[in-house]
Amino acid sequence: MTNPSTSFYDLSNPMVSQPFPAERSLSVRGPPSLASRSTTTRRHRSNRSHHGGSTYQPQNEFPNFAHTGDVEIIVNAGGLERRYVLHRLYLARCSGFFEAGTSEEWSRVQAQGQGQGTPQGTERALGSIGEEEEGVQVGVVSLPTYGGQKPFWRYELDTGTHDDEVPMLIQKPPQQTLFGGDQTPRPPPIRNKPPAPSNGFFRSIAAMQSAIHIPQATAQNTEDNDIIRDYDNLFRIFYNYSPTLDGVNITEAYIQCKSLLNLADMYDALEVVGPRIDHHLLQFQGRLWKQIAKYPPSYLKLGYLARSKVIFAEALVHVVGQWPSGSQQLRNMPDVILELIEDKVDELEDLKAKVEGRLFRLNLTTSRGERVTPWNSYLEWSAVSLFRQWLADSTTPPPPPIPKTSSRDSRQPPPPPPPVQTNNGRVYRTLGMGGSAYLNHDELKRFMKLQPEGYTRDSLRKFERRMDEVKNVAKEMVKPLMRNYLELDVGRDGGGMGYLTCTRVDDADFPWD
């Protein structure tokens, strides 16, 4: 009778299973080496874990350097949390805040501050001081460590207790256990696959969809998202990654860049963040120049924070040309910026005064080389007089209106009129264009008809020729004011600008050099 333990079933017939003799079963088996190899393979497979996919390997890349990172940063805003495990070397090199916060001096102060709180804290602080076998080395405090292996720091974002407080990263000292170890946990590993959703997950999604119409939480969520985005961009720039900024809408890009620069200024990282902002905004080219022309004070601040020579110089030319318009928006700027603006305004006013003086002294000469007067050449003298009158009327502000006073207020002196702000940029641009831009044919004809006895077609043509000579001389005089040091092409007529753009900004004028 055949032994059931050594019998095999016939697989050729799927409907019937019949035992075979032991001799046939031995002939079917392979050599001992193959059998042992098959057994070894099955044993190796039995050791694999099929739960959750392949074996997890903790990442060691941005933003979680699980193997080499020594600074843990937790950014939590409005329920949104981002966790970073970065390197002190990168943070200290890019930010003065982290360079000071992770230094030995600051760690010593932190340790001493913890030890002075309670007697137990004093004993614990003394226990962390470097000791030798024969004595204690007073004043030497070790850096915070993780598990006694290497220095480790931890920062958390503190939003403050009031709404007007600016969120700031606060260094959290490691919590010591009774055995002197470090209770600060390492960040949990980032899984490749998210856990399976539970029933509560779908209920929360439904609740979120039903609460989308609530407008109160929209502003707060937007602000929290901006905080998360700014900190993420800050750390990305530290590791030479491109920040996630809007590359289509220049208005949105300006808001994001300004927020990021304010954050970098708070952590003393403008030298690293500024060039990234400069590179991103300069990609807009023509749209950027038009935006700077609309909001020069705002872009002057941004250019100063970003250390952008192009943006700062472009905005400075607009600010100086429009001064004192926009001065209220620059009250909080550093004194060095305000002094630079005042110096450039004084230089522009001096140049305008020189040109204006030459214009009023402009004169024609007769064929003998004498200056025209009412006695030697009345017609030419009339052309010069008309030009001077037009120049005086164009560069002088209109008189203030006469205040209406009643009999009761007749005894009280009238209030002084407000100062009139004049900007003669449009007048000088008109002079720079020449030709029929001012005092055209109709105006000259109307002037000549004021004396009917001297008006003829020949006299009108001669009068126009002499006026063209005056305009050509004036055009040459105002050339220094017609220079354009903007990246924006304003054209001959100034692009509708009523101010001058001839302010030159040299490399020595930038306040951060």
Side-chain angles (χ1 to χ4, degrees):
M1 184 175 183
T2 307
N3 188 1
S5 61
T6 59
S7 64
F8 283 80
Y9 292 93
D10 184 10
L11 300 179
S12 60
N13 190 351
M15 303 297 296
V16 181
S17 298
Q18 298 179 358
F20 286 89
E23 294 79 7
R24 186 174 181 180
S25 64
L26 291 177
S27 61
V28 173
R29 292 185 180 182
S33 60
L34 297 178
S36 61
R37 187 180 307 171
S38 176
T39 306
T40 304
T41 303
R42 286 195 298 270
R43 186 181 300 113
H44 178 70
R45 291 178 179 176
S46 62
N47 292 334
R48 292 182 180 180
S49 175
H50 298 278
H51 178 72
S54 60
T55 305
Y56 167 73
Q57 294 293 337
Q59 67 173 356
N60 191 54
E61 59 185 12
F62 183 85
N64 182 19
F65 294 91
H67 298 300
T68 59
D70 51 6
V71 180
E72 179 187 5
I73 301 176
I74 301 176
V75 180
N76 194 337
L80 302 175
E81 181 175 308
R82 293 293 184 273
R83 187 186 297 266
Y84 302 87
V85 180
L86 308 176
H87 304 91
R88 175 194 174 275
L89 178 63
Y90 282 81
L91 297 177
R93 185 181 60 181
C94 299
S95 168
F97 171 83
F98 289 105
E99 181 181 9
T102 57
S103 61
E104 296 184 5
E105 293 78 5
W106 180 257
S107 300
R108 183 180 300 112
V109 172
Q110 289 287 92
Q112 291 176 355
Q114 294 175 12
Q116 293 176 359
T118 57
Q120 294 82 0
T122 304
E123 294 178 355
R124 188 174 303 144
L126 292 176
S128 63
I129 296 175
E131 298 182 357
E132 296 182 359
E133 294 181 358
E134 298 180 359
V136 179
Q137 208 174 10
V138 181
V140 178
V141 180
S142 60
L143 295 174
T145 60
Y146 172 74
Q149 297 178 0
K150 64 177 181 178
F152 192 81
W153 294 266
R154 183 165 60 94
Y155 288 87
E156 292 184 6
L157 185 65
D158 186 8
T159 57
T161 57
H162 303 284
D163 295 337
D164 56 347
E165 294 185 6
V166 179
M168 185 76 179
L169 288 175
I170 302 298
Q171 185 175 152
K172 297 295 183 178
Q175 302 176 0
Q176 301 290 336
T177 62
L178 295 176
F179 302 98
D182 189 359
Q183 243 182 2
T184 304
R186 283 284 187 174
I190 301 178
R191 301 289 184 182
N192 292 333
K193 296 183 179 180
S198 58
N199 295 331
F201 171 79
F202 296 102
R203 286 195 298 268
S204 62
I205 292 297
M208 289 175 58
Q209 293 178 352
S210 61
I212 288 179
H213 66 280
I214 300 178
Q216 290 82 0
T218 303
Q220 184 65 31
N221 293 338
T222 303
E223 183 179 356
D224 296 335
N225 291 332
D226 294 343
I227 294 176
I228 296 295
R229 181 202 64 218
D230 292 341
Y231 275 93
D232 187 70
N233 285 333
L234 181 67
F235 298 139
R236 288 178 65 88
I237 293 176
F238 286 176
Y239 280 83
N240 202 24
Y241 286 101
S242 299
T244 55
L245 301 172
D246 197 314
V248 178
N249 190 345
I250 188 172
T251 303
E252 187 66 24
Y254 166 79
I255 297 174
Q256 296 175 1
C257 292
K258 179 182 177 181
S259 179
L260 180 56
L261 285 173
N262 291 331
L263 184 66
D265 187 22
M266 187 168 57
Y267 290 104
D268 192 15
L270 287 177
E271 294 184 0
V272 179
V273 178
R276 285 285 189 172
I277 300 298
D278 183 28
H279 177 266
H280 180 77
L281 289 178
L282 290 180
Q283 296 177 354
F284 290 95
Q285 292 296 320
R287 287 185 291 169
L288 175 62
W289 314 140
K290 293 180 181 179
Q291 285 293 109
I292 296 177
K294 292 181 180 179
Y295 314 102
S298 301
Y299 277 91
L300 185 68
K301 298 178 183 179
L302 186 141
Y304 173 72
L305 292 177
R307 304 297 191 265
S308 173
K309 292 185 177 182
V310 178
I311 297 177
F312 183 84
E314 187 83 1
L316 182 61
V317 173
H318 289 287
V319 170
V320 173
Q322 297 177 7
W323 195 261
S325 178
S327 58
Q328 297 297 326
Q329 304 180 27
L330 300 173
R331 290 178 298 176
N332 298 329
M333 290 293 289
D335 294 338
V336 63
I337 304 297
L338 299 179
E339 293 176 0
L340 175 62
I341 295 175
E342 293 175 356
D343 292 342
K344 292 298 181 181
V345 171
D346 293 341
E347 293 178 5
L348 180 59
E349 292 298 328
D350 293 341
L351 181 60
K352 289 165 61 176
K354 293 180 181 179
V355 173
E356 187 174 345
R358 295 179 60 189
L359 289 173
F360 276 104
R361 292 191 300 268
L362 187 151
N363 204 346
L364 296 177
T365 59
T366 62
S367 58
R368 299 178 182 179
E370 299 176 355
R371 292 183 179 180
V372 295
T373 63
W375 295 277
N376 58 13
S377 182
Y378 182 80
L379 189 64
E380 287 79 357
W381 176 82
S382 300
V384 175
S385 299
L386 179 60
F387 171 80
R388 291 175 180 173
Q389 183 65 37
W390 176 89
L391 181 62
D393 293 341
S394 301
T395 56
T396 304
I402 300 176
K404 297 180 180 180
T405 58
S406 59
S407 58
R408 298 179 180 179
D409 301 334
S410 59
R411 298 180 180 179
Q412 298 179 357
V420 180
Q421 299 179 359
T422 59
N423 196 323
N424 300 328
R426 197 180 302 277
V427 178
Y428 294 114
R429 292 189 185 280
T430 303
L431 290 170
M433 295 176 63
S436 60
Y438 64 102
L439 295 178
N440 54 24
H441 173 76
D442 295 337
E443 293 178 347
L444 297 181
K445 184 177 181 180
R446 187 166 54 251
F447 175 78
M448 289 292 294
K449 285 185 176 181
L450 294 177
Q451 294 181 347
E453 65 277 3
Y455 172 74
T456 62
R457 291 185 177 181
D458 293 337
S459 62
L460 178 59
R461 286 194 294 267
K462 184 178 180 181
F463 186 75
E464 289 180 342
R465 287 196 301 267
R466 301 300 278 176
M467 182 60 73
D468 290 339
E469 294 180 11
V470 175
K471 292 180 179 180
N472 292 333
V473 176
K475 184 177 181 180
E476 293 296 325
M477 289 182 178
V478 298
K479 270 189 176 181
L481 298 177
M482 295 298 100
R483 297 171 182 170
N484 179 31
Y485 288 102
L486 292 174
E487 296 291 338
L488 179 65
D489 185 12
V490 297
R492 291 183 57 191
D493 58 348
M497 296 182 181
Y499 52 90
L500 300 176
T501 59
C502 58
T503 302
R504 181 174 180 178
V505 183
D506 299 323
D507 292 338
D509 296 329
F510 296 109
W512 56 82
D513 289 342

